[in-house]
Amino acid sequence: MATNPRDTYITGLVNAHALEEQAISLLSRQVERLESYPEMSDQIRRHIDETKAQAQRIEEILQSLGTSHSSFKDLVTSFTGNVAALAHAPMQDEVMKNTFANFAFEHFEIAAYRSLLAMAELAGDASGPKLLQQSLGEEIRMAKWIEDNLEATTRKYVQREASGQKAGV
Ligand SMILES: [Fe+2]
């Protein structure tokens, strides 16, 4: 059965909405537990706010297309399910595991937005791409922050472990 580009785009938007909802809950759980990494806490809080706005942008696009995200069953991929499982498990090196998971998650979102931009074009959506670009820019910034701070986070974690301080969160 054939699916037209517009419906494929709508499905992509609904999936991206589910992804953002999951991002909000993952990041909220992380930041709630994080005590020893204030810069990371600040970044995560900022990105939670951005992510809420991203979900709203997707809702706006869906409305402009005459549909709503709630009319679809949210699909969550096994990838994000695995990342979520990772975030649930208490681990001594929680801050590092979360850093790896967030790095992967942000790149998953970057790929999703780049794909949506191509779909928007094929679906003839002239107004959506501006909003999608804005969200893409935020995902790229967050991914870059994680990447740029990976080494410093690791050093701090190892040093805190070595001095017997709380290191994992
Ligand atoms: Fe994100």
Side-chain angles (χ1 to χ4, degrees):
M1 199 175 68
T3 305
N4 67 45
R6 189 179 177 279
D7 286 347
T8 303
Y9 175 46
I10 288 170
T11 302
L13 289 164
V14 170
N15 288 340
H17 190 274
L19 193 65
E20 297 302 4
E21 297 272 278
Q22 193 167 20
I24 292 165
S25 79
L26 281 174
L27 294 175
S28 301
R29 273 202 300 276
Q30 283 179 21
V31 79
E32 206 163 86
R33 292 171 51 78
L34 201 58
E35 292 172 24
S36 315
Y37 300 82
E39 283 173 33
M40 188 182 289
S41 293
D42 288 349
Q43 284 298 323
I44 291 175
R45 283 202 191 89
R46 174 179 169 178
H47 199 56
I48 289 170
D49 290 341
E50 287 173 339
T51 305
K52 287 175 181 166
Q54 291 165 3
Q56 277 168 9
R57 282 179 207 129
I58 294 169
E59 288 167 29
E60 209 179 301
I61 297 169
L62 283 166
Q63 270 163 22
S64 79
L65 297 167
T67 183
S68 128
H69 72 96
S70 55
S71 58
F72 292 82
K73 193 180 183 301
D74 279 354
L75 300 171
V76 180
T77 69
S78 59
F79 172 83
T80 58
N82 288 337
V83 173
L86 199 62
H88 281 302
M91 282 172 287
Q92 191 179 357
D93 62 344
E94 185 171 321
V95 68
M96 297 314 311
K97 291 287 197 320
N98 283 342
T99 294
F100 306 157
N102 292 349
F103 183 79
F105 203 102
E106 294 307 327
H107 283 276
F108 192 94
E109 293 180 309
I110 289 167
Y113 279 110
R114 292 213 162 112
S115 175
L116 282 174
L117 282 162
M119 286 184 189
E121 195 188 320
L122 291 166
D125 180 14
S127 62
K130 200 179 157 227
L131 296 172
L132 296 171
Q133 282 287 1
Q134 205 178 338
S135 298
L136 174 62
E138 291 164 355
E139 306 299 22
I140 290 171
R141 188 201 60 78
M142 186 61 185
K144 189 172 183 322
W145 187 89
I146 297 167
E147 184 167 13
D148 290 349
N149 288 274
L150 177 61
E151 197 181 314
T153 303
T154 306
R155 289 182 188 282
K156 185 171 176 181
Y157 168 71
V158 172
Q159 280 158 6
R160 289 182 74 89
E161 278 287 353
S163 63
Q165 289 173 285
K166 189 172 214 173
V169 287

